[in-house]
Amino acid sequence: QVQLVESGGGLVQAGGSLRLSCAASGRTFSTSTMGWFRQAPGKEREFVAAINWNGGNTDYADSVKGRFSISRDNAKNTVYLQMNSLKPEDTAVYYCAARYGISWYGNRWYAPSYDYWGQGTQVTVSS
């Protein structure tokens, strides 16, 4: 079993920044693909960003490209999501997720391909 614990969410004004953290424990972190997803009220969960096991590959949703940056520190078993130039439409519950045994070339935006999920952290961007 893998446990994922997010932190760093909160309330921020439009144009501001937040950094989300996700600390993992249990199964070996360094072999995982890590992803961030978000879900706004009344909407389906959507892909935000992903990073492969060694941080050499990243992928982003078009809506956040150029504003968000995903990174990982395997020595700390932690993945980060740096969010800059935040917009009200970024408001959502953000979830950290991990998957194992699937190639980086698998559909990184497909939420059911991820094996473990954090509890979610609320990000609210005011106008």
Side-chain angles (χ1 to χ4, degrees), residues 12-116:
V12 65
Q13 295 185 60
S17 298
L18 285 173
R19 188 179 75 160
L20 305 184
S21 298
C22 174
S25 62
R27 191 171 177 179
T28 303
F29 176 76
S30 60
T31 63
S32 67
T33 291
M34 300 296 298
W36 287 97
F37 292 77
R38 66 187 183 186
Q39 188 167 19
K43 294 187 176 181
E44 297 296 316
R45 189 170 298 184
E46 66 174 352
F47 171 77
V48 176
I51 188 166
N52 79 330
W53 69 275
N54 66 357
N57 296 102
T58 58
D59 193 20
Y60 299 92
D62 288 342
S63 60
V64 306
K65 201 168 295 181
R67 299 188 297 120
F68 290 11
S69 180
I70 188 171
S71 61
R72 69 191 296 162
D73 186 341
N74 286 349
K76 296 181 178 180
N77 289 350
T78 302
V79 64
Y80 305 95
L81 184 69
Q82 179 67 46
M83 305 184 294
N84 299 323
S85 301
L86 283 162
K87 305 174 181 179
E89 51 263 45
D90 294 318
T91 295
V93 177
Y94 283 70
Y95 297 91
C96 175
R99 73 181 189 185
Y100 295 84
I102 300 176
S103 169
W104 173 251
Y105 301 98
N107 290 341
R108 296 174 293 277
W109 55 92
Y110 186 53
S113 71
Y114 290 79
D115 302 298
Y116 302 99

